[in-house]
mmCIF file of all heavy atoms in Angstrom:
data_model
loop_
_atom_site.group_PDB
_atom_site.id
_atom_site.type_symbol
_atom_site.label_atom_id
_atom_site.label_comp_id
_atom_site.label_asym_id
_atom_site.label_seq_id
_atom_site.Cartn_x
_atom_site.Cartn_y
_atom_site.Cartn_z
ATOM 1 N N MET A 1174 5.937 -31.909 127.387
ATOM 2 C CA MET A 1174 5.929 -30.745 126.565
ATOM 3 C C MET A 1174 4.982 -29.662 127.113
ATOM 4 O O MET A 1174 3.852 -29.953 127.447
ATOM 5 C CB MET A 1174 5.579 -31.067 125.096
ATOM 6 C CG MET A 1174 5.647 -29.950 124.174
ATOM 7 S SD MET A 1174 5.280 -30.438 122.450
ATOM 8 C CE MET A 1174 5.515 -28.888 121.583
ATOM 9 N N HIS A 1184 7.435 -16.975 128.524
ATOM 10 C CA HIS A 1184 8.312 -16.206 127.644
ATOM 11 C C HIS A 1184 7.786 -14.815 127.292
ATOM 12 O O HIS A 1184 8.602 -13.981 126.883
ATOM 13 C CB HIS A 1184 8.580 -17.020 126.372
ATOM 14 C CG HIS A 1184 9.447 -18.225 126.610
ATOM 15 N ND1 HIS A 1184 10.767 -18.152 126.757
ATOM 16 C CD2 HIS A 1184 9.060 -19.549 126.775
ATOM 17 C CE1 HIS A 1184 11.229 -19.392 126.960
ATOM 18 N NE2 HIS A 1184 10.285 -20.236 126.936
ATOM 19 N N LYS A 1217 0.107 -10.196 115.669
ATOM 20 C CA LYS A 1217 0.418 -11.115 114.627
ATOM 21 C C LYS A 1217 1.752 -11.847 114.866
ATOM 22 O O LYS A 1217 1.890 -13.019 114.606
ATOM 23 C CB LYS A 1217 0.481 -10.353 113.286
ATOM 24 C CG LYS A 1217 -0.792 -9.935 112.712
ATOM 25 C CD LYS A 1217 -0.660 -9.408 111.279
ATOM 26 C CE LYS A 1217 0.293 -8.256 111.119
ATOM 27 N NZ LYS A 1217 -0.204 -7.064 111.833
ATOM 28 N N ASP A 1229 10.697 -27.933 116.515
ATOM 29 C CA ASP A 1229 12.006 -28.424 116.445
ATOM 30 C C ASP A 1229 12.690 -27.926 115.146
ATOM 31 O O ASP A 1229 12.436 -28.451 114.111
ATOM 32 C CB ASP A 1229 11.976 -29.948 116.463
ATOM 33 C CG ASP A 1229 13.381 -30.591 116.371
ATOM 34 O OD1 ASP A 1229 14.355 -29.884 116.692
ATOM 35 O OD2 ASP A 1229 13.452 -31.756 115.935
ATOM 36 N N PRO A 1237 10.324 -6.735 105.797
ATOM 37 C CA PRO A 1237 10.831 -5.756 104.850
ATOM 38 C C PRO A 1237 11.656 -4.626 105.471
ATOM 39 O O PRO A 1237 12.300 -3.885 104.787
ATOM 40 C CB PRO A 1237 9.567 -5.201 104.192
ATOM 41 C CG PRO A 1237 8.567 -5.303 105.260
ATOM 42 C CD PRO A 1237 8.891 -6.517 106.072
ATOM 43 N N GLY A 1253 14.545 -13.848 126.710
ATOM 44 C CA GLY A 1253 15.312 -15.092 126.795
ATOM 45 C C GLY A 1253 15.166 -16.006 125.581
ATOM 46 O O GLY A 1253 15.455 -17.206 125.709
ATOM 47 N N GLU A 1267 29.959 -9.997 111.205
ATOM 48 C CA GLU A 1267 28.746 -10.147 112.011
ATOM 49 C C GLU A 1267 27.789 -11.154 111.377
ATOM 50 O O GLU A 1267 27.165 -11.944 112.061
ATOM 51 C CB GLU A 1267 28.080 -8.802 112.204
ATOM 52 C CG GLU A 1267 28.849 -7.833 113.060
ATOM 53 C CD GLU A 1267 28.319 -6.412 113.070
ATOM 54 O OE1 GLU A 1267 27.846 -5.971 111.997
ATOM 55 O OE2 GLU A 1267 28.421 -5.732 114.082
ATOM 56 N N ILE A 1304 14.827 -26.167 109.040
ATOM 57 C CA ILE A 1304 13.860 -25.087 109.074
ATOM 58 C C ILE A 1304 12.483 -25.634 109.456
ATOM 59 O O ILE A 1304 12.007 -26.600 108.825
ATOM 60 C CB ILE A 1304 13.833 -24.317 107.758
ATOM 61 C CG1 ILE A 1304 15.228 -23.649 107.514
ATOM 62 C CG2 ILE A 1304 12.702 -23.252 107.759
ATOM 63 C CD1 ILE A 1304 15.306 -23.017 106.142
ATOM 64 N N ILE A 1315 3.446 -9.205 98.372
ATOM 65 C CA ILE A 1315 3.573 -10.253 97.380
ATOM 66 C C ILE A 1315 2.657 -9.985 96.178
ATOM 67 O O ILE A 1315 2.927 -10.325 95.043
ATOM 68 C CB ILE A 1315 3.223 -11.653 97.996
ATOM 69 C CG1 ILE A 1315 4.373 -12.078 98.945
ATOM 70 C CG2 ILE A 1315 2.971 -12.701 96.952
ATOM 71 C CD1 ILE A 1315 3.981 -13.229 99.781
ATOM 72 N N LYS A 1328 9.044 -12.948 94.367
ATOM 73 C CA LYS A 1328 9.944 -14.094 94.100
ATOM 74 C C LYS A 1328 9.831 -15.132 95.265
ATOM 75 O O LYS A 1328 10.514 -16.147 95.165
ATOM 76 C CB LYS A 1328 11.400 -13.575 93.977
ATOM 77 C CG LYS A 1328 11.609 -12.654 92.829
ATOM 78 C CD LYS A 1328 13.085 -12.165 92.785
ATOM 79 C CE LYS A 1328 13.292 -11.190 91.706
ATOM 80 N NZ LYS A 1328 14.682 -10.658 91.669
ATOM 81 N N ALA A 1346 -1.674 -6.932 107.628
ATOM 82 C CA ALA A 1346 -2.733 -6.131 108.246
ATOM 83 C C ALA A 1346 -3.596 -5.503 107.162
ATOM 84 O O ALA A 1346 -4.556 -4.779 107.484
ATOM 85 C CB ALA A 1346 -2.162 -5.034 109.113
#
Side-chain angles (χ1 to χ4, degrees):
M1174 184 177 180
H1184 291 280
K1217 289 191 299 295
D1229 181 20
E1267 291 169 327
I1304 298 176
I1315 289 168
K1328 300 177 183 177

